[in-house]
Amino acid sequence: MEIPLLRYQNLALDQIQSASSFRLSFSDPKFFGHRSLSLFSGYCFPLNIRKWRNRLPHIRCSSVEQELKPRPKPIPSKIDVDEPKATPLEDTHVVKRNSGLCSQIEKSVLYKRYREAFELFEILEFEGGYELASSTYDALVSACISLKSIGGVKRVTNYMISNGFEPDQYMRNRVLLMHVKCGMMIDARRLFEEMPERNLVSWNTIIGGLVDSGDFMDAFQLFLVMWQEFSDGGSRTFATMIRASAGLGLIFSGRQFHSCCLKMGLGADIFVSCALIDMYSKCGNIEDAQCVFDEMPRKTTVGWNSIIAGYALHGYSEEALSMYYDMRDSGVRMDHFTFSMIIRICARLASLEHAKQAHAGLVRHGFGLDVVANTSLVDFYCKWGRIEDARHVFDQMPLKNVISWNALIAGYGNHGRGDEAVEMFEKMLQEGMVPNHVTFLAVLSACSHSGLSERGWEIFESMSRDHKIKPRAMHYACMIELLGREGLLDEASALIRSAPFNPTANMWAALLTACRVHENLELGKFAAEKLYGMEPEKLSNYVVLLNIYSSSGKLKEAASVVQTLRRKGLRMLPACSWIEVKKHLHIFHSGDKSHSETRDIYQKMDDLMIRITKHGYIPEEKHLLPDVDEHERRSFYHSEKLAIAYGLISTADGTPLQIVQSHRICGDCHSAVKLIARVTGREIVVRDASRFHHFKDGSCSCGNYW
């Protein structure tokens, strides 16, 4: 029960000592005065009887000393009036409870109806004054974490403070976790510093939040303070600090934590093992990562995902794919992260058949509607020429995020289907999706690839005007390419000079491409020299500068570039092309004769040359492309031509061919493939270093601008 302090003097001593618990109410300003009223008004706290027992004798209780009899009860009135009868210990502080609403809130959170829980909580906020149980606050904290709602965090915290809720250690840790999970690290640090007591959970929560937010050095500093206080740590603590080591790329500290875990008997812990695999992979030691994985007593899904991601991170795509099949054969349950990784690995390997198998496994394991995995599929199909399949997956997705939209818009743009890319961008806006800078890069690139000048400028101007997104260098590069495509080289050069930042390599590269297409050697030489100065270690910049000097007759300057290449030890890798036939990749280099069917390939190539010559094909001798070396220029049988010839003799008539070229396709091959597509009646898709080229009926989707 609750007892006003002013009435405490008239309370019998035996009543106080026999009471199991009661609270003091500072509701009367006469006792403390006006200064104390603002601090204590309405605030109640439990009274410790043992603490106050020695202080009771000096309090004079007149009712005990004078042995007064209890006050006689008043004679009841003859008139029956429905008035509440006052109790001798009437409390002036009224506590309201609404157990029904609290129960509904907790039940809604239990069934993951988090927004419904907040709607019920809004009723309590509106009426005010309700005292909530700790379990209700716990449920609201879970709702905030699940929704990542910063507004919800503020509402719940303010309600706790305004209603005088005193959390215990568990709830303090929960409130701290709520702030951490919602990204409110400044408030989380303040709460942590103000905590009267901190246990290992408190330290792990704040350190984990710092690591998740990228504040790795702060995490290390707090860990050292915690270690001085506790001299102990659980597996979660060490796993978190191993992640911090990975974030900083400090393999030395990671090894120290690994050694400490082994000494403390935590080496076989799943969390520690997975963190170690990730750390060694990110620090460039895939061998140690494999050793940790091999030593795991029980290989979990996260462990398999970590080692597969490690191989993929270092470019070992074939090994990563092999580990995926080992994981499948081991019977471990795969999740949507597994399939997302494998689809990206297939994209790197250009393996359509393996990607289809991963797609089937995705559906078979119940992740057919997962946003992350399906977005990876959309991106894969776009990157490897299956734009219709990408659109089908996209349309089947019940939920789409901005990355899903960006992947499809970029896919349409890379395939030269600018109108459809703009259409998807407008549909995205109509459905209320908020675009980001990647969205605008995708749609502006689509406009530049397809020559949609007017629409491109409208979208570019709407970035800052309507969407409050400041254009970046990559967006300017798209507009420079758009101007260059129309031959407006002076305007493109002026746009570079007027940019609100220093021009980037991509901006100069866009101008260089325009100069090459429109044969403006002087401006092209200027752009190439700018690239040469900005990226002195990039080989393609030297090659394009060499080509431009040679074509413009500046042999002395060309010789200087050759000497620089030799002095730096830079050598251009030969171009190669590959095609997948019956799940096997067939790789070709220029003039390659190592294939088992070389004789048939060259015979087919010669027949094609005779046929397309009748349709006006004339071999080109000059090449101003950054990816063409001397050997490529001398060879007539370029790698992409050989890959196409093999595809024609290995597949049925009418089957589309898809070729991947490691470099940018040269002008001679571009002209030849257009005519090959016409005389064979095939659709030939070539993905080179710049974009997709869809050759069909004697034309290309790039519009001869690449």
Side-chain angles (χ1 to χ4, degrees):
M1 60 181 177
E2 187 171 279
I3 306 170
L5 189 59
L6 289 181
R7 298 170 185 254
Y8 179 73
Q9 299 179 21
N10 298 321
L11 186 63
L13 180 60
D14 56 349
Q15 289 179 292
I16 297 176
Q17 293 175 335
S18 63
S20 59
S21 65
F22 57 90
R23 293 185 291 179
L24 296 179
S25 174
F26 305 105
S27 58
D28 194 338
K30 296 178 183 179
F31 188 83
F32 287 97
H34 294 289
R35 289 179 298 175
S36 300
L37 177 63
S38 60
L39 181 63
F40 295 102
S41 177
Y43 185 81
C44 303
F45 60 89
L47 178 64
N48 191 324
I49 299 296
R50 188 174 302 168
K51 177 180 178 182
W52 283 88
R53 181 171 292 167
N54 296 329
R55 300 187 183 185
L56 291 175
H58 79 278
I59 300 177
R60 297 174 59 86
C61 298
S62 58
S63 61
V64 176
E65 292 178 356
Q66 300 177 16
E67 297 183 357
L68 297 178
K69 296 181 179 180
R71 183 177 299 176
K73 296 181 180 180
I75 301 174
S77 173
K78 295 182 179 180
I79 303 175
D80 187 12
V81 181
D82 294 332
E83 292 182 355
K85 297 180 180 180
T87 60
L89 301 176
E90 182 179 4
D91 188 4
T92 56
H93 177 75
V94 179
V95 177
K96 298 191 294 183
R97 292 181 175 85
N98 194 323
S99 58
L101 272 178
C102 293
S103 176
Q104 288 297 320
I105 290 173
E106 295 173 21
K107 188 179 296 184
S108 297
V109 173
L110 179 63
Y111 290 103
K112 299 182 179 182
R113 297 196 295 263
Y114 305 115
R115 299 192 183 280
E116 180 180 318
F118 270 110
E119 291 174 359
L120 295 171
F121 177 58
E122 189 175 355
I123 299 175
L124 299 177
E125 288 180 297
F126 178 76
E127 296 184 3
Y130 284 104
E131 183 182 81
L132 304 187
S134 179
S135 59
T136 306
Y137 282 120
D138 194 15
L140 290 171
V141 166
S142 298
C144 290
I145 294 174
S146 299
L147 295 175
K148 297 291 189 293
S149 173
I150 295 177
V153 173
K154 293 179 179 179
R155 288 169 57 189
V156 173
T157 306
N158 290 338
Y159 197 88
M160 285 182 176
I161 296 173
S162 62
N163 286 273
F165 176 71
E166 281 295 325
D168 56 11
Q169 184 65 51
Y170 169 78
M171 277 306 300
R172 289 184 187 276
N173 288 335
R174 289 284 290 164
V175 171
L176 178 64
L177 178 66
M178 174 176 66
H179 283 79
V180 166
K181 290 297 185 181
C182 293
M184 304 171 67
M185 287 306 301
I186 296 177
D187 293 331
R189 290 291 295 269
R190 178 181 54 80
L191 287 172
F192 179 77
E193 292 168 359
E194 294 175 354
M195 291 179 74
E197 293 183 19
R198 307 184 187 104
N199 57 16
L200 198 58
V201 176
S202 313
W203 286 97
N204 284 340
T205 300
I206 191 66
I207 292 174
L210 291 171
V211 173
D212 291 338
S213 60
D215 298 325
F216 305 116
M217 290 305 300
D218 289 346
F220 267 97
Q221 292 172 358
L222 271 184
F223 171 77
L224 294 176
V225 175
M226 183 205 75
W227 192 257
Q228 290 178 351
E229 181 174 339
F230 287 96
S231 297
D232 192 10
S235 61
R236 298 294 182 97
T237 307
F238 287 107
T240 300
M241 295 313 301
I242 292 169
R243 288 198 297 122
S245 302
L248 292 172
L250 298 176
I251 193 171
F252 176 74
S253 64
R255 289 188 189 279
Q256 287 184 316
F257 284 119
H258 189 180
S259 176
C260 193
C261 289
L262 293 175
K263 292 177 181 179
M264 298 180 67
L266 300 174
D269 184 85
I270 293 175
F271 297 102
V272 171
S273 297
C274 293
L276 285 171
I277 294 171
D278 181 68
M279 183 273 297
Y280 282 125
S281 298
K282 290 181 178 177
C283 291
N285 197 328
I286 191 65
E287 293 82 6
D288 284 351
Q290 181 67 56
C291 288
V292 174
F293 177 78
D294 292 338
E295 293 296 324
M296 290 180 69
R298 184 171 64 89
K299 296 176 174 59
T300 62
T301 301
V302 178
W304 281 100
N305 288 347
S306 299
I307 191 64
I308 292 172
Y311 278 110
L313 178 66
H314 291 280
Y316 300 119
S317 301
E318 292 84 357
E319 290 81 357
L321 194 61
S322 176
M323 292 293 292
Y324 160 71
Y325 287 121
D326 290 343
M327 178 183 181
R328 184 191 62 182
D329 296 339
S330 70
V332 175
R333 181 180 180 273
M334 301 180 185
D335 60 11
H336 63 284
F337 291 110
T338 310
F339 293 107
S340 299
M341 283 192 303
I342 295 306
I343 291 168
R344 286 194 290 269
I345 291 170
C346 291
R348 186 184 299 172
L349 292 173
S351 178
L352 184 60
E353 292 301 323
H354 287 298
K356 286 182 177 179
Q357 291 180 10
H359 187 180
L362 184 74
V363 176
R364 187 169 57 251
H365 286 78
F367 300 108
L369 302 179
D370 182 78
V371 175
V372 176
N374 279 281
T375 299
S376 298
L377 270 176
V378 172
D379 182 63
F380 170 81
Y381 283 131
C382 287
K383 286 180 177 177
W384 297 106
R386 306 296 290 266
I387 192 68
E388 302 303 331
D389 290 338
R391 180 61 184 270
H392 176 73
V393 173
F394 180 84
D395 289 339
Q396 296 298 315
M397 294 174 64
L399 294 175
K400 307 175 183 69
N401 56 23
V402 65
I403 303 175
S404 312
W405 287 93
N406 293 348
L408 188 61
I409 293 171
Y412 276 125
N414 288 332
H415 286 273
R417 298 165 67 167
D419 290 327
E420 289 162 284
V422 172
E423 180 184 345
M424 291 303 298
F425 172 71
E426 293 173 346
K427 185 178 180 181
M428 173 184 180
L429 297 180
Q430 291 172 1
E431 294 192 7
M433 188 67 64
V434 179
N436 56 20
H437 70 278
V438 179
T439 312
F440 284 100
L441 175 63
V443 70
L444 290 175
S445 178
C447 291
S448 64
H449 285 1
S450 300
L452 303 177
S453 178
E454 184 177 347
R455 191 71 184 96
W457 280 105
E458 290 176 359
I459 295 173
F460 180 74
E461 292 171 355
S462 71
M463 285 184 63
S464 56
R465 184 188 67 235
D466 301 332
H467 303 280
K468 311 304 178 185
I469 297 177
K470 187 177 181 180
R472 305 184 184 186
M474 60 186 75
H475 304 110
Y476 273 85
C478 292
M479 305 317 294
I480 293 167
E481 182 176 345
L482 197 57
L483 290 170
R485 190 182 186 97
E486 296 182 344
L488 303 174
L489 302 183
D490 292 336
E491 288 81 352
S493 180
L495 183 60
I496 293 178
R497 293 193 300 270
S498 65
F501 39 73
N502 293 328
T504 63
N506 287 338
M507 296 168 67
W508 289 114
L511 181 62
L512 178 60
T513 299
C515 294
R516 173 185 60 80
V517 173
H518 297 286
E519 299 185 351
N520 189 326
L521 296 180
E522 288 301 319
L523 186 57
K525 181 171 71 69
F526 177 74
E529 289 173 344
K530 288 290 186 181
L531 279 172
Y532 174 83
M534 296 176 69
E535 299 175 334
E537 300 301 323
K538 191 172 182 179
L539 178 61
S540 61
N541 294 333
Y542 292 92
V543 176
V544 70
L545 189 60
L546 175 62
N547 286 333
I548 287 180
Y549 281 146
S550 300
S551 300
S552 58
K554 298 183 180 294
L555 301 182
K556 184 178 180 180
E557 289 84 351
S560 176
V561 174
V562 172
Q563 291 178 358
T564 302
L565 285 171
R566 291 175 178 173
R567 185 175 66 254
K568 289 181 174 290
L570 298 175
R571 182 177 177 273
M572 191 74 174
L573 293 175
C576 68
S577 302
W578 60 91
I579 182 173
E580 183 177 8
V581 177
K582 298 178 181 179
K583 298 183 181 181
H584 293 287
L585 288 178
H586 299 265
I587 303 174
F588 299 90
H589 294 86
S590 295
D592 193 356
K593 294 186 179 180
S594 61
H595 197 276
S596 59
E597 300 182 47
T598 294
R599 182 175 179 179
D600 295 335
I601 292 171
Y602 275 81
Q603 181 63 47
K604 185 65 175 180
M605 191 73 250
D606 292 338
D607 293 341
L608 288 173
M609 290 299 103
I610 294 173
R611 295 178 64 184
I612 64 176
T613 300
K614 296 178 181 179
H615 287 77
Y617 169 70
I618 300 176
E620 297 182 17
E621 295 183 357
K622 73 174 182 178
H623 306 284
L624 293 181
L625 290 175
D627 294 338
V628 178
D629 62 1
E630 187 66 25
H631 176 72
E632 187 82 358
R633 285 201 298 269
R634 290 197 304 265
S635 176
F636 175 76
Y637 297 99
H638 288 186
S639 59
E640 51 266 58
K641 293 177 182 175
L642 296 177
I644 291 172
Y646 177 74
L648 290 173
I649 66 175
S650 304
T651 59
D653 292 343
T655 304
L657 301 181
Q658 183 154 338
I659 314 297
V660 181
Q661 160 69 287
S662 63
H663 292 49
R664 191 177 296 194
I665 187 172
C666 71
D668 176 66
C669 287
H670 195 270
S671 300
V673 177
K674 285 195 295 184
L675 294 174
I676 291 174
R678 174 188 289 182
V679 299
T680 59
R682 301 275 195 114
E683 179 181 359
I684 302 174
V685 180
V686 177
R687 181 192 174 185
D688 70 351
S690 63
R691 69 192 65 186
F692 278 93
H693 301 265
H694 288 259
F695 297 97
K696 189 175 182 180
D697 298 330
S699 63
C700 180
S701 60
C702 73
N704 299 329
Y705 190 94
W706 74 99

